[in-house]
Amino acid sequence: MFKKLLLFTGLFTFGIASYAQNTGKAKALLDEVYAKAMSYDNIFIDFKYGLENTEANIKQESSGNVTLSGDKYLLDYLGAQVMSDGKKVHTIVPENEEVTIDDITEDDNNITPSKMLTFYKTGHNYAWDILQNVGGRKIQYVKLTPIDSNTEIKSILLGVDMGTKHIYKLIQTGHNSTKTTITVNSFKTNQPLSSTLFTFNAKKYEDDGYYIIRN
């Protein structure tokens, strides 16, 4: 009986140590990805977006691109454009000839393009997941599980290209069985950008007959 207790205690202790090592390794990889991204003046990402819920018979696919520079970004997606100068967010919808302007607040919990590289830092548990070979590229997945059990998100898988330390894929699974996938088609850095790329020209849109909503 004593030997069995010692064996159980040893296995339990080994399990805790392995979990801690696993978690630390996963967090360290994401920190490395973050540090690499922060070393660039700007990043341009062309991506494919997928949304699937087999229970509701929903399957959608689209594409888009985003340019990131510090806390500024320009996102083109689903025929709309979202622009942020770091202080305000401008959502431009040509189909409706409408622009919505919102302030950025510190307590804003929404995951915006500017937060995509930092959202993992708080509120998640980490786990080292599977390694895939994608066209000769080693893609290591890290699984993030929200600590808050009331969140709509069940888990997030981040696939990291181990050669470049860039994010290759994000797979978010919700408690309602909805799976959202973002796959990076191209990842370019330090591109020549216009000095007005993230500047909203209200007069231009007013002259074009757009209705501007300032929240």
Side-chain angles (χ1 to χ4, degrees):
M1 179 67 181
F2 181 68
K3 289 183 178 180
K4 287 182 179 180
L5 182 60
L6 283 177
L7 177 61
F8 173 79
T9 303
L11 290 173
F12 181 72
T13 304
F14 175 77
I16 292 175
S18 297
Y19 174 80
Q21 185 179 28
N22 184 322
T23 299
K25 187 166 63 170
K27 177 69 162 49
L29 177 59
L30 294 182
D31 285 341
E32 192 174 352
V33 169
Y34 171 75
K36 185 75 176 288
M38 290 299 101
S39 71
Y40 302 125
D41 291 333
N42 60 71
I43 299 171
F44 173 82
I45 299 173
D46 181 84
F47 62 86
K48 180 173 67 176
Y49 173 90
L51 178 70
E52 185 174 6
N53 187 316
T54 53
E55 292 180 5
N57 197 28
I58 296 174
K59 187 172 184 179
Q60 300 173 354
E61 290 186 350
S62 57
S63 60
N65 63 75
V66 61
T67 300
L68 301 161
S69 181
D71 57 358
K72 301 176 183 179
Y73 62 85
L74 179 64
L75 170 67
D76 282 295
Y77 176 64
L78 291 177
Q81 193 175 71
V82 184
M83 175 195 302
S84 175
D85 58 6
K87 296 179 180 178
K88 293 183 180 294
V89 177
H90 308 82
T91 303
I92 305 159
V93 185
E95 184 179 357
N96 300 338
E97 295 188 338
E98 183 178 279
V99 178
T100 303
I101 304 175
D102 294 287
D103 289 325
I104 296 176
T105 58
E106 299 213 352
D107 58 350
D108 185 0
N109 292 321
N110 293 323
I111 297 178
T112 62
S114 60
K115 293 181 181 178
M116 285 303 294
L117 296 170
T118 59
F119 80 94
Y120 76 91
K121 287 179 174 287
T122 58
H124 296 88
N125 292 316
Y126 312 93
W128 195 257
D129 211 271
I130 64 170
L131 176 67
Q132 286 185 338
N133 187 309
V134 179
R137 299 160 65 190
K138 291 183 178 180
I139 308 298
Q140 176 64 55
Y141 283 88
V142 171
K143 185 175 184 178
L144 284 75
T145 306
I147 294 172
D148 183 0
S149 59
N150 293 321
T151 181
E152 295 178 0
I153 299 171
K154 183 178 180 181
S155 66
I156 297 173
L157 279 170
L158 285 177
V160 178
D161 185 323
M162 296 301 281
T164 62
K165 294 301 190 297
H166 295 160
I167 296 292
Y168 166 71
K169 183 173 286 191
L170 180 151
I171 304 171
Q172 177 179 296
T173 303
H175 285 290
N176 62 353
S177 300
T178 298
K179 182 179 289 186
T180 304
T181 304
I182 297 175
T183 306
V184 175
N185 293 323
S186 66
F187 190 108
K188 299 177 182 178
T189 62
N190 298 337
Q191 300 295 292
L193 302 180
S194 165
S195 59
T196 60
L197 182 66
F198 306 108
T199 303
F200 177 70
N201 186 340
K203 187 176 185 308
K204 171 185 178 300
Y205 289 97
E206 287 170 348
D207 290 347
D208 288 341
Y210 276 63
Y211 181 59
I212 298 181
I213 304 168
R214 292 178 169 86
N215 293 329

